Amino acid sequence: MTDRGYNPDDPGFLASRRLDEELPAEAQARLDAALSASPALREEAEQLRAVDDLVKRWGAGSEEVDSEPFVKSVVGAVESQHDSVELRRVDSLLAGWRDEDLGIDSDRFVEGVMGRVAPRRRAPGHQWIIRLGVPLAAAAAVMFAVTTTLQRGSIDQDPGSVSVDWGTVAGTVEVAFARSADPSPADGLDNDEIGFVSVGAGPALLLDDEAPPS
Amino acid sequence: MDAETSQLESMEADVVVRAQAGDARAFEQLVRDYHRRAISLGYRLLGNSEDAQDVAQEAFVRAYKSLAQLDDPARFGGWFMRIVSNLALNFRRARKTRSAVSLDDMSAFGDEFRNPVTGQRKAANTDDESAAMPKELHAAITDAMDELPEQQRLALVLFSVEGMPQKEVAEVLECSIEMVKWNVFQARKKMQKALTEFL
């Protein structure tokens, strides 16, 4: 579309617009003043009107339409396209479905997920007590029992057992020694003093439903 | 826009929506409503009734195929007439390159011309306005129209001959209403020069 030379104040343009009855009053007044002052413009305006009349007459009078044959031929042509158009319509619907705005508030969604995930990542305090506290307490109980036994004198004696009760975890820790076949000290140290290590015996941490080693 | 026009547009938009949903009868209604304008515009741009009907039919088929792409059903008229005009202008260009222009159904140099819709030859009209126009003048106008730049020709035909509102013409030409007015003016000036001896 060219707008080359477009001049909304061109008197000829105003005259042309007046033919179409869409000239505002203010522009009409300007045109009238220009027409009064210029015989050439008056002639041009008259010729534009004559051209408009001719064009309208040229375009008139050819409307004896026998519609039915044409409409039928179009409908027939369209029906032959029906399947492909239906497929395209389905495709179009799918495209619309794919592009549908799901109304997702990404920030809120992410926040919600993280809100549910975060507590799982931080174990509750009592769980940490169970995971670390129980083994440490058991080890302390064993050491206590061993130390007590050693202070009493002989490692032949059963070092005994200690009851444990931490609420969710309860039971009895028993300490026993398994004597090796060779009673001689391997490291030259006195068995009576730290025999538990030197005689190759090890403490066994047993739950109360298990029998201690003989 | 008066209430009656608004109501008609609303009814047409409803038909378009139904056609978009695959209602064949609704599309047939659109064909009935628009085929005269389509053929007439094709005829004014091509000067040949058979070509005009071919172009109009092709335009309906294309409209049917791409109807789903029409976002605003109320704009069907401008959208469809743009399809017609584009096809007609493409056809015209192709025909020119073939250098085989046939205007045998124009009344330019014969004693008869064809009905642009039925394609049937008929004697020069005696019962309509154009019949009162001397053949020589009719031919001169046709030639002058033929010489106009496409956009000016289209603007003049759509607005002055087909009587389309400037707003719809602007939609067809994809330009502003002001440019429609300007193109009509430019077309009239060129026609004025070409037809000087008849004025």
Side-chain angles (χ1 to χ4, degrees):
Chain A
M1 175 61 56
T2 176
D3 57 357
R4 193 171 46 200
Y6 173 68
N7 176 10
D9 297 322
D10 184 321
F13 182 41
L14 296 180
S16 176
R17 289 177 61 189
R18 184 158 74 175
L19 291 176
D20 305 325
E21 300 178 349
E22 52 88 20
L23 199 60
E26 176 269 333
Q28 178 101 25
R30 274 191 289 135
L31 175 61
D32 286 339
L35 287 170
S36 315
S38 170
L41 181 59
R42 282 201 297 275
E43 187 182 349
E44 183 187 355
E46 279 307 309
Q47 290 194 343
L48 286 175
R49 181 182 297 280
V51 165
D52 188 49
D53 287 342
L54 284 177
V55 168
K56 283 175 177 163
R57 283 171 59 198
W58 173 82
S62 55
E63 304 304 325
E64 291 178 23
V65 179
D66 185 3
S67 299
E68 281 311 309
F70 180 80
V71 172
K72 281 181 180 171
S73 71
V74 170
V75 170
V78 161
E79 282 175 351
S80 70
Q81 301 285 332
H82 185 73
D83 288 346
S84 64
V85 170
E86 283 298 301
L87 287 175
R88 197 167 308 172
R89 188 169 286 130
V90 168
D91 194 45
S92 170
L93 286 173
L94 286 176
W97 173 73
R98 186 187 61 223
D99 298 337
E100 187 180 4
D101 181 6
L102 300 178
I104 295 173
D105 181 343
S106 299
D107 290 340
R108 285 190 61 186
F109 180 80
V110 171
E111 191 178 315
V113 169
M114 295 312 292
R116 295 185 63 183
V117 165
R120 292 169 190 259
R121 297 170 64 194
R122 290 195 304 270
H126 72 275
Q127 289 187 2
W128 286 111
I129 290 172
I130 292 171
R131 289 178 187 175
L132 294 176
V134 169
L136 287 173
V142 167
M143 290 304 296
F144 172 77
V146 168
T147 303
T148 304
T149 302
L150 289 176
Q151 285 175 348
R152 278 202 302 251
S154 172
I155 62 170
D156 290 333
Q157 296 175 354
D158 186 358
S161 63
V162 176
S163 293
V164 177
D165 185 358
W166 290 289
T168 55
V169 176
T172 301
V173 177
E174 293 189 13
V175 179
F177 294 97
R179 185 170 294 280
S180 65
D182 179 10
S184 61
D187 52 8
L189 297 179
D190 186 348
N191 285 346
D192 284 342
E193 292 180 8
I194 50 173
F196 152 135
V197 175
S198 62
V199 299
L205 176 62
L206 304 171
L207 295 181
D208 56 3
D209 59 346
E210 293 182 24
S214 56
Chain B
M1 180 189 304
D2 57 35
E4 189 178 355
T5 305
S6 177
Q7 188 177 6
L8 283 173
E9 287 185 355
S10 174
M11 287 169 62
E12 182 179 283
D14 182 57
V15 174
V16 173
V17 169
R18 284 193 286 123
Q20 284 179 316
D23 184 338
R25 286 204 170 276
F27 189 78
E28 184 176 331
Q29 182 62 49
L30 292 174
V31 176
R32 290 185 185 283
D33 291 345
Y34 277 91
H35 74 281
R36 288 171 190 266
R37 286 168 69 177
I39 295 171
S40 183
L41 175 59
Y43 183 73
R44 298 302 165 205
L45 294 176
L46 298 170
N48 179 299
S49 62
E50 289 180 2
D51 292 345
Q53 289 193 57
D54 287 347
V55 161
Q57 178 163 327
E58 176 65 16
F60 278 115
V61 171
R62 292 200 183 191
Y64 182 72
K65 284 179 178 176
S66 51
L67 200 54
Q69 295 169 18
L70 176 62
D71 293 331
D72 183 358
R75 295 192 167 200
F76 175 82
W79 177 77
F80 174 67
M81 295 307 280
R82 185 161 69 242
I83 294 175
V84 175
S85 61
N86 285 343
L87 283 173
L89 292 175
N90 287 342
F91 191 97
R92 189 182 153 87
R93 289 182 202 119
R95 191 172 61 182
K96 273 189 174 176
T97 60
R98 289 197 305 267
S99 300
V101 179
S102 172
L103 297 175
D104 62 345
D105 58 347
M106 301 298 288
S107 59
F109 304 106
D111 295 332
E112 58 184 8
F113 70 100
R114 285 180 184 169
N115 181 305
V117 174
T118 64
Q120 295 174 332
R121 285 187 174 275
K122 64 177 183 179
N125 282 347
T126 55
D127 58 351
D128 57 34
E129 288 183 77
S130 65
M133 181 176 284
K135 295 180 187 107
E136 192 182 356
L137 175 56
H138 194 282
I141 294 173
T142 301
D143 289 345
M145 280 279 189
D146 214 38
E147 293 301 314
L148 291 176
E150 282 182 358
Q151 295 296 313
Q152 292 176 13
R153 180 179 190 178
L154 205 48
L156 191 63
V157 167
L158 290 171
F159 179 66
S160 295
V161 177
E162 299 300 324
M164 282 175 68
Q166 289 173 333
K167 184 183 167 198
E168 265 188 52
V169 178
E171 286 175 6
V172 173
L173 298 183
E174 297 183 280
C175 68
S176 66
I177 292 176
E178 197 64 14
M179 287 317 299
V180 171
K181 297 172 188 173
W182 183 254
N183 275 297
V184 168
F185 168 54
Q186 293 297 314
R188 282 171 176 160
K189 276 212 308 188
K190 289 189 172 77
M191 296 290 284
Q192 178 189 344
K193 284 181 184 169
L195 299 172
T196 302
E197 62 181 295
F198 298 98
L199 296 174

